[in-house]
Amino acid sequence: ILGSTERHKIRWFWQRLFRPFPRHWQNKQGDWILCAPGNSAPNPRDNNKTNGPAKIIMSQMPKHFHSLKDHFLMATPALSSGFFAKSLTYICEHNPDGAMGIVINQPSNIPFAKIFEQLDLNTSHCTPDQIALAGGPVQVEHGFLLHDQEGQWESTVQTGSHTWLTTSKDILVAIANGHDTGQTLLALGYAGWSAGQLEDELAANAWLTVAADAEILFETPYEKRLHAAGLRLGIDIHLMSNTAGHS
């Protein structure tokens, strides 16, 4: 049984999970803004750095830039160890200054009910199979909720034609009260790439990419998502060698 001090620390930790996006991520027009080195998106191998705003926003992207927003990144055997081994990542934003995504196939073993309980929310609508995912190694104390139904939430951005990412607590309150928020995926932490980093990793055959699919994102069991994404390319990702070419 935890003492009062330990209980307070745990409560404080969970209270920090849902908070608005950093102010530098959005401007007054709602454009999504990322950070880049010295002024860029945090490196996924550095959990602590968050710097100032980037100079380029989505509406100012050069025409030749190919954004992988609303795509899946499939880890190839070239990523044989570490957090991203055998991972599937949903890219929420990608522009010349970097990229941000949520890993969607690695469980954290923390149930929704535990999070709701620590936030003093009703847990009666939580089911035992609802587990938060380990969304990435950056800001692992923050919660990120992907969902397929638009709503008037305090801190939310659209990441695909029918996909939104929300970090404010109000959406959890709605879920706890039994309101319909559509299909959801809750993750703790995110993955971030600085300017040019993701492109370099793609050139090194670390990732394969395919357009995101709502069925894989919200309906496929997390342990089958990487394989399902590979099938969208007509391959079995688990049979690839670490010398396979980039697609």
Side-chain angles (χ1 to χ4, degrees):
I1 299 176
L2 296 177
S4 60
T5 302
E6 291 169 306
R7 286 198 300 269
H8 173 74
K9 289 180 179 179
I10 291 176
R11 175 172 298 279
W12 177 79
F13 173 81
W14 288 115
Q15 292 286 1
R16 294 182 60 197
L17 284 179
F18 282 83
R19 57 184 296 181
F21 287 114
R23 196 171 295 173
H24 55 269
W25 281 16
Q26 288 179 290
N27 64 13
K28 292 181 179 179
Q29 288 72 45
D31 293 305
W32 178 275
I33 303 175
L34 289 176
C35 312
N39 244 359
S40 83
N43 187 305
R45 296 161 186 80
D46 186 339
N47 295 354
N48 301 312
K49 293 183 180 179
T50 302
N51 301 307
K55 297 179 180 178
I56 300 177
I57 59 178
M58 289 299 294
S59 60
Q60 300 170 342
M61 285 198 308
K63 293 182 179 179
H64 66 272
F65 181 80
H66 177 61
S67 175
L68 292 174
K69 178 179 179 178
D70 196 33
H71 278 65
F72 290 140
L73 287 185
M74 294 174 281
T76 71
L79 287 173
S80 59
S81 62
F83 182 89
F84 292 101
K86 298 182 179 180
S87 66
L88 182 67
T89 303
Y90 174 71
I91 297 299
C92 301
E93 186 57 283
H94 181 212
N95 66 34
D97 280 323
M100 178 268 185
I102 302 293
V103 177
I104 62 168
N105 69 331
Q106 305 211 16
S108 69
N109 297 321
I110 301 175
F112 273 33
K114 183 66 174 178
I115 296 174
F116 280 40
E117 177 185 331
Q118 293 293 338
L119 292 172
D120 289 330
L121 298 177
N122 178 20
T123 62
S124 63
H125 296 285
C126 299
T127 59
D129 62 327
Q130 290 180 301
I131 301 294
L133 299 176
V138 183
Q139 295 188 357
V140 295
E141 74 278 12
H142 292 170
F144 298 83
L145 195 81
L146 287 165
H147 49 101
D148 67 353
Q149 185 169 300
E150 187 177 11
Q152 300 301 313
W153 314 115
E154 179 184 352
S155 297
T156 188
V157 292
Q158 187 167 6
T159 59
S161 58
H162 296 93
T163 311
W164 288 262
L165 178 67
T166 297
T167 63
S168 49
K169 182 182 173 182
D170 50 357
I171 192 169
L172 290 189
V173 173
I175 293 172
N177 290 334
H179 297 159
D180 181 17
T181 57
Q183 298 183 102
T184 60
L185 183 156
L186 173 61
L188 305 180
Y190 71 92
W193 290 263
S194 58
Q197 183 182 3
L198 180 55
E199 290 77 7
D200 288 343
E201 292 179 2
L202 287 165
N205 295 324
W207 307 99
L208 293 176
T209 66
V210 67
D213 178 88
E215 181 180 352
I216 295 174
L217 188 60
F218 295 111
E219 299 177 26
T220 303
Y222 69 82
E223 69 275 10
K224 296 180 179 180
R225 287 173 182 162
L226 178 60
H227 179 69
L231 293 180
R232 296 285 177 178
L233 285 180
I235 63 171
D236 186 337
I237 193 76
H238 300 302
L239 297 180
M240 289 181 61
S241 72
N242 58 11
T243 57
H246 171 63
S247 172

